[in-house]
Amino acid sequence: MEQQAHVQLAALTARALAPYASRPEPADVAALVDDLITCGQALHDEVARIPATERTPSAADGLTEWEYCSAVGPRGSGPHADWNHARGLARVARKMARALELHRGMSVP
């Protein structure tokens, strides 16, 4: 994962995992979801290129969770459902980033 992508993911994750009292407006949550999907799909593609025999259980779980979360979308309707979806995407993207960095022998906080 390139440094710029890592910084972008950190910023997106911080926005998505902010306290509930800091939840953005619905339009901002929708934009955040779009950005998380773009970033997360790129991560998914990178992690998927790790040979299956070299994937950690966390990497394999991240791939499966990403496929589910991105396909299913928000559970329920309204801004709270969209916010929770953004939070779930952020957690899975972060998991995949950690798995990718671990595979490459780098540490991720």
Side-chain angles (χ1 to χ4, degrees), residues 8 22 39 68 71 85 87:
Q8 179 188 19
S22 301
C39 184
Y68 176 80
H85 181 57
R87 294 167 72 82

Side-chain angles (χ1 to χ4, degrees), residues 15-16 22-36 74 78-87 89:
R15 287 175 44 210
S22 301
R23 183 176 74 194
E25 294 297 318
D28 294 329
V29 171
L32 177 59
V33 168
D34 288 344
D35 292 343
L36 283 164
H80 192 70
D82 294 340
W83 176 241
N84 281 334
H85 181 57
R87 294 167 72 82
L89 291 170

Side-chain angles (χ1 to χ4, degrees), residues 35-48:
D35 292 343
L36 283 164
I37 288 173
T38 299
C39 184
Q41 190 59 50
L43 279 167
H44 177 275
D45 295 346
E46 284 189 68
V47 174

Side-chain angles (χ1 to χ4, degrees), residues 9-77:
L9 176 62
L12 291 172
T13 301
R15 287 175 44 210
L17 298 177
Y20 276 95
S22 301
R23 183 176 74 194
E25 294 297 318
D28 294 329
V29 171
L32 177 59
V33 168
D34 288 344
D35 292 343
L36 283 164
I37 288 173
T38 299
C39 184
Q41 190 59 50
L43 279 167
H44 177 275
D45 295 346
E46 284 189 68
V47 174
R49 284 192 292 271
I50 298 171
T53 57
E54 296 178 23
R55 287 183 200 147
T56 63
S58 183
D61 290 346
L63 291 173
T64 301
E65 290 170 13
W66 181 260
E67 290 163 6
Y68 176 80
C69 287
S70 61
V72 171
R75 305 281 295 200
S77 60

